[in-house]
Amino acid sequence: MIRKTYAARGLLDFQMAINVGGAILRILFSGGMMGANGVISAKYTTDNEALHQIIENSDQYKKGRIYLFETTVIKDPKNVRNAKNVKDPKDDENNR
C-alpha cells in the first residue's frame, strides 16, 4: 500500500473541488501554519489509489498549486509501524 501526502503550496487551509464523472469531489487540505520562518503548507494524506489518480490528474496539481509532499510505502497495512517514508528530492526545491 502506498500512502501519499499532498500539500497546497503556500496555503494554511484549502478546499479543492474536482469534477469527477459529473459529481463534485471536495478534498480538504488542513494543518498549515504561519510562523517566523514562513508558511508551512496545508496537507492532505490518503492511501486510496483512486484519489491519488484524481488528485494527480487535476488542474491544480498540473499547475503546481498542489504538489506531492511525501510518499510512504506500507508493506503490511495491518502494521503501520513498518511504514517507510520516501521523499522526492525535488520537494525541497519546490517548497521554497
Side-chain angles (χ1 to χ4, degrees):
M1 175 183 349
I2 297 176
R3 179 173 293 152
K4 292 185 178 183
T5 300
Y6 300 92
R9 189 175 312 282
L11 300 174
L12 304 180
D13 288 306
F14 177 62
Q15 183 172 345
M16 184 167 80
I18 305 171
N19 187 351
V20 180
I24 301 295
L25 173 65
R26 297 188 189 281
I27 299 173
L28 179 63
F29 291 72
S30 61
M33 293 186 283
M34 184 180 291
N37 295 329
V39 175
I40 296 174
S41 299
K43 295 176 182 65
Y44 174 76
T45 301
T46 182
D47 54 12
N48 185 315
E49 292 184 29
L51 284 175
H52 295 170
Q53 291 297 316
I54 291 168
I55 292 170
E56 292 171 11
N57 289 315
S58 71
D59 288 338
Q60 290 96 339
Y61 188 85
K62 290 177 182 176
K63 291 178 181 176
R65 183 171 198 176
I66 303 299
Y67 64 95
L68 181 60
F69 178 75
E70 183 176 65
T71 301
T72 305
V73 178
I74 301 173
K75 293 181 181 178
D76 181 6
K78 295 178 184 175
N79 188 0
V80 179
R81 293 181 189 206
N82 290 335
K84 180 180 177 186
N85 289 335
V86 181
K87 279 195 130 181
D88 186 348
K90 292 186 256 178
D91 288 344
D92 292 331
E93 298 171 9
N94 293 337
N95 203 19
R96 292 181 187 172

